[in-house]
Amino acid sequence: MEYMSTEIRSAREAMTIFKILGIKDVTTDRQRNNGTTVYELPISQVWQTLNPKPIRFATYTTGYVRNVTESLSSSYQINKTKPVVYESGMTGVERIMIDSWEDRLIYLAKFIIKNYYQKTTYIMSDYVMDCLREAYVRDYNNKPSNRLPFGDELQPYVSKATLDECDVQVIINGHRYNLS
């Protein structure tokens, strides 16, 4: 029996993985003219304001690969590093540049799979999101200046509920049990 290799070896395989996982190229014309390519994962990060921000990565012709997610204070490099000793005797780290477009794409695909698709991170049920929305409304008194970022269609639903109505529900063998 032959086994299919799970190693990504070409840009074509990386792009196929991106397509299967729903990772989109969201590069603007200006970025494309500068040699930058930006990819957006179908996964979002949710912080205190419950405003989901899509996770994005960019590859640059300079050899860098960076996480450029909007919720970050600044983009950060995900290139591998190597130790360096400077003339002054101080030590530090230096990023290893990835010269070809194909190698950058392969590196990014492997990084995304390793760090975002082999862990159980970013999984949140609708029930948990509802409880978070309700807590947000309760804590911020639903002031117009503190509107939820979920869209106007959810506002009436959220404002009716309170956190006290969020009970724990467990489903065992198809039967739902409410735990209070």
Side-chain angles (χ1 to χ4, degrees):
M1 178 176 191
E2 281 187 55
Y3 289 98
M4 189 171 152
S5 173
T6 57
E7 183 70 20
I8 300 170
R9 294 190 203 119
S10 69
R12 183 178 181 165
E13 290 175 2
M15 293 304 282
T16 302
I17 294 293
F18 285 1
K19 187 174 183 177
I20 290 169
L21 296 176
I23 299 170
K24 299 182 287 189
D25 182 341
V26 293
T27 309
T28 63
D29 291 337
R30 182 175 182 172
Q31 290 169 327
R32 197 174 320 279
N33 291 339
N34 290 332
T36 302
T37 309
V38 181
Y39 298 96
E40 182 177 283
L41 277 64
I43 302 170
S44 296
Q45 289 180 328
V46 179
W47 297 102
Q48 294 93 341
T49 61
L50 300 178
N51 188 6
K53 299 283 185 180
I55 299 173
R56 291 184 177 152
F57 292 94
T59 62
Y60 300 85
T61 54
T62 56
Y64 285 107
V65 180
R66 293 185 171 122
N67 183 333
V68 293
T69 303
E70 290 176 38
S71 61
L72 301 174
S73 58
S74 65
S75 62
Y76 64 87
Q77 302 151 357
I78 61 172
N79 295 56
K80 291 182 180 178
T81 59
K82 63 181 178 183
V84 174
V85 179
Y86 298 105
E87 292 178 11
S88 64
M90 302 218 20
T91 61
V93 293
E94 187 176 275
R95 298 286 170 182
I96 300 171
M97 297 297 117
I98 305 170
D99 295 326
S100 77
W101 171 81
E102 183 172 12
D103 291 340
R104 286 191 297 274
L105 196 63
I106 293 168
Y107 180 79
L108 178 60
K110 289 178 180 179
F111 180 87
I112 289 171
I113 289 171
K114 176 184 172 190
N115 292 288
Y116 293 91
Y117 286 92
Q118 290 186 351
K119 299 177 182 179
T120 56
T121 56
Y122 305 108
I123 296 175
M124 220 180 266
S125 69
D126 291 338
Y127 176 76
V128 172
M129 286 302 292
D130 287 344
C131 289
L132 290 171
R133 286 183 185 112
E134 292 163 5
Y136 186 90
V137 168
R138 184 202 66 219
D139 294 341
Y140 290 95
N141 298 321
N142 203 15
K143 295 177 185 172
S145 61
N146 290 328
R147 286 281 182 214
L148 286 172
F150 301 109
D152 294 335
E153 69 279 353
L154 293 175
Q155 205 66 36
Y157 166 76
V158 174
S159 62
K160 292 178 189 172
T162 63
L163 185 63
D164 297 333
E165 295 172 3
C166 281
D167 297 327
V168 177
Q169 297 178 355
V170 179
I171 298 174
I172 302 173
N173 293 332
H175 298 290
R176 181 176 298 185
Y177 300 93
N178 292 324
L179 307 175
S180 299

